[in-house]
Amino acid sequence: MILLIALLAATSTPASLEKSCKAGKAAACDELGGRYSEGLGVRRDETRAAELFRRSCKAGNQDGCADDARALALGEGQTADAKAALVRLDKLCKDGKPRACGHLGEVLLRGLGGPQSGPIADDLLAKACDEGFGRACSNLASAVYKAAPQREQAEALSLRGCNLGDPAGCVFVGELYGSSGDALRAGVYLARACDAGLARGCGAQGFLLVDSGADPKRGEKLLQKGCDGGDPRSCDALRDLKLRDVKK
């Protein structure tokens, strides 16, 4: 599975996805939208992502419709309308679309369905994760860790998300290892996220290298890469690092 994801990532560049999207391939529009939404190999741009999700959905791609509804619920690249988005996600989820179930769980987890929706959100995320939607595994890992925290379960879920191709899951498990002092394993998973093109992953890897003293020079370059990719935490860390150097 990991090898397949790596091969697909290598052949589907932003330029090739753009070309395929313009040629009318709805799945390419959705994938490109996901890259702009997450900052995967391109600078993060929520407005551009929302446009691509809408185009994909209008062309009949159900994953595109799920991504479009999520963006609408969260107000990414547009004015938020959680009520309308929840109706759409609920219908798509009931139609058997794992991505829609995962997004519905995420939206409910953020409290947009009311304070009583936490257990429902967990069930939806677990269902989507079991059906192979990596992002749902990663979101559930975060929820589990914040609630208890149940570290072992969170680690297993984020590893599953990472192995299913969600770079955010790689970042989460990398940061878990980093917080326990396991810099070696932390670096491995943060590097996977960065290699997948996730700006936040590059920034987190860079911060680890700077903070641990393992390779500050390379760490600064990775922080710059994360910042250039649109990750605000990378920009903040880079600014703090430069201010610290000035004061020396």
Side-chain angles (χ1 to χ4, degrees):
M1 174 63 76
I2 297 171
L3 178 59
L4 175 60
I5 290 166
L7 289 172
L8 288 173
T11 56
S12 300
T13 64
S16 67
L17 288 170
E18 184 76 50
K19 184 176 180 180
S20 295
C21 178
K22 288 180 178 178
K25 294 183 179 179
C29 297
D30 182 48
E31 184 178 344
L32 185 59
R35 296 202 183 188
Y36 277 108
S37 175
E38 296 297 316
L40 278 166
V42 293
R43 184 171 180 80
R44 195 164 185 266
D45 186 337
E46 292 181 352
T47 301
R48 177 68 174 139
E51 292 170 354
L52 288 160
F53 293 149
R54 279 194 295 271
R55 183 187 295 186
S56 178
C57 184
K58 287 179 180 178
N61 184 277
Q62 296 301 291
D63 281 345
C65 291
D67 289 335
D68 181 36
R70 175 189 176 276
L72 178 63
L74 302 180
E76 294 186 350
Q78 62 202 291
T79 302
D81 188 344
K83 185 176 180 181
L86 284 167
V87 171
R88 291 172 57 191
L89 287 171
D90 184 60
K91 183 179 185 305
L92 285 166
C93 180
K94 287 176 178 175
D95 287 343
K97 307 301 178 185
R99 183 173 301 208
C101 295
H103 287 341
L104 181 59
E106 179 188 355
V107 170
L108 292 176
L109 194 65
R110 292 176 181 236
L112 297 181
Q116 76 287 353
S117 59
I120 299 172
D122 288 351
D123 287 344
L124 287 164
L125 289 170
K127 171 182 169 64
C129 177
D130 288 342
E131 293 179 3
F133 182 44
R135 184 188 189 120
C137 305
S138 304
N139 283 332
L140 185 57
S142 179
V144 164
Y145 189 71
K146 288 177 182 176
Q150 300 177 49
R151 183 186 173 89
E152 288 186 6
Q153 187 181 359
E155 181 182 326
L157 284 164
S158 54
L159 275 170
R160 188 173 183 185
C162 178
N163 289 333
L164 283 169
D166 179 36
C170 302
V171 172
F172 189 88
V173 74
E175 291 180 338
L176 274 181
Y177 288 137
S179 68
S180 65
D182 191 343
L184 182 60
R185 281 202 290 181
V188 168
Y189 285 97
L190 294 176
R192 276 179 62 175
C194 183
D195 290 344
L198 185 64
R200 183 159 62 95
C202 296
Q205 184 188 8
F207 183 81
L208 178 69
L209 291 173
V210 170
D211 191 54
S212 67
D215 194 340
K217 188 173 291 187
R218 182 162 177 259
E220 186 172 346
K221 289 180 180 178
L222 285 166
L223 283 170
Q224 186 66 62
K225 186 175 181 179
C227 182
D228 291 343
D231 177 50
R233 292 194 299 179
S234 296
C235 297
D236 290 343
L238 191 63
R239 184 180 62 251
D240 291 344
L241 184 63
K242 289 180 178 178
L243 284 173
R244 188 177 66 189
D245 288 343
V246 168
K247 292 178 180 179
K248 285 183 178 179

